[in-house]
Amino acid sequence: MLGLMQRQELSISSLIEFAERHHGEGQIVSRRVEGDIHRYTYKECAQRSRQLANVLDTFNVKQGERVASIAWNGYRHMEMYFGVSGSGRVLHTINPRMAPEQIAWVMSHAQDQMVCFDMTFLPIVKAIHSKCPSVKHWVALCEADKVPSDSGIPNLLSYEALLVAQPTTYTWPELDENTASSMCYTSGTTGNPKAALYSHRSTVLHAYAAALPDVMCLSSRDSILPVVPMFHVNAWGIPYSAALTGAKLVFPGPGMDGKSIYDLIELERVTYAAGVPTIWQMLLGHMEPNKLRFSTLKRTVIGGSACPPAMIAAFNDQYGVEVLHAWGMTEMSPLGTLCTLKNKHLTMSEADKMKVRLKQGRAIYGVDMKIVDSAGQELPWDGKTYGDLLVKGPWVVREYFQGVGDKEPVRPLIDGWFPTGDVATIDADGYMQITDRSKDVVKSGGEWISSIDIENIAVAHPAVAMAACIGMAHPKWDERPIIAVVKKPGQEVTREELLAFYQDKAAKWQVPDDVVFLDAIPMGATGKMQKSKLREVLKDYKLPDLR
Ligand code: ADP
């Protein structure tokens, strides 16, 4: 027997319609590539999203066809989130930090029909436009008078000129909720990037879940700063969750440095921010020497790579900001777990609370997870046993987008579960902790050493800005860990001092065999350390006992 409730398809257009009706005066503030701060309301955002949908109709972009963005976090990008997806097209957000050849590759693979880009990225577009035959229209996200006549891009259009010619009314199509809405390519550290293709259903369910009190705890009273980019995994779904709650949105545009972020937090009375550790490192690096304080910031979600304890402590103890450690993946829309404390933790000592906060957290309703051994047998949730982490749920990929010309469909699932490639423990309370990417674990003498643990100890040293631990081949032990370190400007630490710093913090056999000082650690397009590149940098390196 079926239930007798109304059948209404979940849709992305309903989010912006809701925000317009119930939070029409709600603010969206953007630092623009033009250099100024732009302000408008959800009402105007909804109107302009409908104008954009009309533009796409006029250009005859068909349902399901891809419209790409190469843009910073800002109001025009937000309009694309709703105007493109809401009208039944698929928004392909492109990460401008990928190499130009890779950008051309993903555009061809996705068969993008139209590309809208911030003027900052004109050099990228110039470099690739002739290699992207599927693209019929190139649109600059600016006023007509800012579009250079000598851009070299045939028939380059102005977004503002296109919008202004259209009515602000539009009838959003009633789509099957499983219709594709947006797509994001993984950064593809090995092989070509693979695309997760999200649907209206997965996006709306994820937006609901992300807003929950034990997840991001979003409300119309919040002022939210997503520093995490809209060009990668939909800025962790924040644009959708913000529309769903009517929270004020503050977009940083290209201003990702510590000062720009700090100024925006204070100016716009931001209560809640989200970003990867490298961004917060820059923010703290600006605040400490200038003795600055936050007047409104209460919570910050940190994820994308492991958040070092020193950073959690700095936010919590020095600035009174609660850190919510989160874990997810492109293939998971991206949220999987988020670390909020349970009642039982509140009476713990600060040191014990920190042990919990360091974990990547509890599964969000909608995400099932398990850890398994190499034979696929499920492992216990005891907080000690580690295994390969598998997940499933309505916002986890089933298959990768195949694009054109690919012969074999890429079906990653194992008995319905998605293998994350992460190694983790799960404790009895359901708190998951990532030990490592499976390819980054250091395997020494039959034991596993978590490179994250070794890095966390190094970055707790006052002179260390960044640290990457990798395993080096060893004839007796298989691998031994070494730590590559970037020092903070003007700070000194020797190899011996740093190795001594590990005493009492790690078991003797886990202490790195050596320290390598570098000017920089190679970073990938999504702000993570690229250990494959680091291995290339250190290809001639030899462990001390093998020299
Ligand atoms: P990419 O597209 O760069 O592969 P994703 O954003 O999909 O990037 O990255 C997902 C991976 O990032 C996870 O599988 C995990 O290894 C790592 N990751 C994400 N959040 C955390 C975290 N809080 N702690 C440790 N690792 C994390």
Side-chain angles (χ1 to χ4, degrees):
M1 185 165 70
L2 293 177
L4 296 175
M5 309 311 283
Q6 294 181 12
R7 167 105 207 195
Q8 190 164 325
E9 306 296 311
L10 302 177
S11 68
I12 286 175
S13 58
S14 70
L15 294 172
I16 193 67
E17 291 290 313
F18 175 86
E20 179 183 27
R21 169 155 295 218
H22 298 279
H23 304 280
E25 299 305 310
Q27 292 267 303
I28 299 175
V29 179
S30 314
R31 193 192 289 280
R32 303 203 297 178
V33 286
E34 287 91 330
D36 58 352
I37 300 248
H38 172 274
R39 292 169 192 280
Y40 76 174
T41 61
Y42 273 112
K43 181 168 187 201
E44 287 164 285
C45 178
Q47 285 172 343
R48 283 169 51 96
S49 302
R50 292 192 291 263
Q51 285 178 301
L52 174 58
N54 281 316
V55 171
L56 299 176
D57 284 4
T58 314
F59 280 78
N60 204 20
V61 180
K62 302 207 172 47
Q63 300 274 302
E65 284 186 335
R66 271 73 66 199
V67 175
S69 63
I70 316 179
W72 298 108
N73 291 9
Y75 66 106
R76 294 178 181 126
H77 209 171
M78 177 88 173
E79 293 155 12
M80 292 190 73
Y81 268 48
F82 293 100
V84 173
S85 305
S87 65
R89 286 89 183 187
V90 177
L91 176 67
H92 172 200
T93 53
I94 294 177
N95 185 338
R97 297 198 185 111
M98 290 193 291
E101 314 80 69
Q102 228 175 24
I103 295 182
W105 188 92
V106 296
M107 278 186 184
S108 297
H109 190 257
Q111 289 287 289
D112 294 332
Q113 301 294 304
M114 178 186 274
V115 178
C116 305
F117 62 93
D118 272 332
M119 285 307 278
T120 340
F121 303 121
L122 183 60
I124 297 180
V125 173
K126 276 186 176 171
I128 60 163
H129 77 277
S130 61
K131 297 175 198 142
C132 306
S134 68
V135 180
K136 300 193 187 90
H137 313 286
W138 297 92
V139 180
L141 290 165
C142 62
E143 304 282 350
D145 62 358
K146 302 268 180 354
V147 179
S149 51
D150 58 349
S151 70
I153 295 148
N155 193 25
L156 178 56
L157 301 160
S158 145
Y159 178 83
E160 293 298 335
L162 291 177
L163 247 60
V164 81
Q166 295 298 330
T168 56
T169 53
Y170 186 79
T171 308
W172 298 110
E174 283 178 28
L175 305 165
D176 178 323
E177 63 184 17
N178 291 306
T179 304
S181 57
S182 67
M183 67 195 301
C184 178
Y185 283 79
T186 63
S187 41
T189 34
T190 51
N192 279 325
K194 296 193 282 294
L197 184 61
Y198 311 112
S199 68
H200 286 258
R201 175 183 158 80
S202 68
T203 304
V204 173
L205 291 177
H206 181 272
Y208 266 122
L212 285 170
D214 263 3
V215 188
M216 295 208 203
C217 190
L218 302 183
S219 111
S220 60
R221 295 180 296 279
D222 275 311
S223 171
I224 308 177
L225 174 75
V227 187
V228 47
M230 291 170 81
F231 57 67
H232 192 60
V233 216
N234 301 327
W236 297 351
I238 289 173
Y240 306 116
S241 296
L244 179 145
T245 52
K248 174 177 172 181
L249 265 173
V250 181
F251 288 126
M256 304 292 209
D257 59 288
K259 178 175 180 344
S260 304
I261 295 291
Y262 176 79
D263 290 349
L264 208 53
I265 289 175
E266 288 302 298
L267 187 67
E268 299 305 325
R269 305 191 59 75
V270 167
T271 55
Y272 174 84
V276 296
T278 32
I279 290 288
W280 298 140
Q281 198 77 52
M282 289 196 279
L283 176 64
L284 294 175
H286 169 69
M287 291 180 68
E288 261 168 41
N290 293 302
K291 303 205 168 19
L292 299 169
R293 314 292 308 165
F294 293 118
S295 26
T296 52
L297 189 68
K298 297 275 176 304
R299 303 185 311 286
T300 171
V301 172
I302 305 186
S305 42
C307 181
M311 183 173 285
I312 300 182
F315 271 112
N316 198 54
D317 306 344
Q318 271 168 266
Y319 300 106
V321 174
E322 184 185 9
V323 168
L324 308 170
H325 197 187
W327 167 84
M329 307 181 76
T330 306
E331 288 89 337
M332 299 177 69
S333 304
L335 287 179
T337 64
L338 198 129
C339 195
T340 44
L341 301 186
K342 288 184 176 177
N343 259 341
K344 67 192 280 186
H345 301 123
L346 299 180
T347 49
M348 285 180 167
S349 69
E350 284 305 313
D352 285 343
K353 269 192 210 157
M354 177 60 102
K355 283 190 195 139
V356 182
R357 288 188 198 283
L358 269 179
K359 301 189 178 202
Q360 278 73 7
R362 292 183 273 143
I364 298 164
Y365 169 76
V367 175
D368 271 350
M369 58 183 185
K370 65 176 179 180
I371 42 173
V372 299
D373 63 16
S374 52
Q377 289 303 313
E378 194 165 350
L379 295 166
W381 290 23
D382 58 11
K384 289 197 274 296
T385 314
Y386 48 80
D388 293 318
L389 179 64
L390 275 65
V391 291
K392 64 177 186 170
W395 57 81
V396 178
V397 290
R398 183 177 71 225
E399 277 177 36
Y400 289 102
F401 174 72
Q402 293 170 40
V404 282
D406 277 3
K407 293 185 189 70
E408 289 295 314
V410 187
R411 297 208 174 103
L413 302 196
I414 303 169
D415 295 333
W417 291 81
F418 176 77
T420 63
D422 287 324
V423 176
T425 60
I426 306 177
D427 71 18
D429 291 316
Y431 285 74
M432 184 275 287
Q433 184 159 28
I434 302 277
T435 317
D436 234 322
R437 284 303 279 169
S438 54
K439 59 183 182 339
D440 294 336
V441 173
V442 183
K443 298 176 184 91
S444 173
E447 293 288 343
W448 285 15
I449 301 173
S450 153
S451 67
I452 295 177
D453 287 351
I454 301 307
E455 288 155 9
N456 280 345
I457 296 173
V459 292
H461 190 284
V464 174
M466 210 182 250
C469 169
I470 53 173
M472 286 286 174
H474 190 283
K476 180 169 174 198
W477 303 110
D478 285 339
E479 283 183 333
R480 286 298 301 153
I482 65 161
I483 187 102
V485 164
V486 179
K487 286 184 254 185
K488 283 188 187 160
Q491 303 271 4
E492 273 313 320
V493 59
T494 63
R495 171 186 185 276
E496 284 65 33
E497 282 163 356
L498 195 58
L499 293 180
F501 191 65
Y502 276 88
Q503 261 191 10
D504 309 327
K505 299 188 183 77
K508 226 170 150 204
W509 56 274
Q510 295 175 325
V511 176
D513 279 11
D514 202 6
V515 181
V516 180
F517 292 101
L518 297 175
D519 293 335
I521 288 171
M523 300 298 282
T526 53
K528 298 177 202 202
M529 296 190 288
Q530 267 191 316
K531 294 200 178 168
S532 51
K533 287 257 164 69
L534 180 61
R535 283 178 207 283
E536 278 170 38
V537 172
L538 298 176
K539 65 179 184 314
D540 297 326
Y541 171 88
K542 277 206 168 54
L543 285 164
D545 62 336
L546 305 178
R547 284 174 197 158

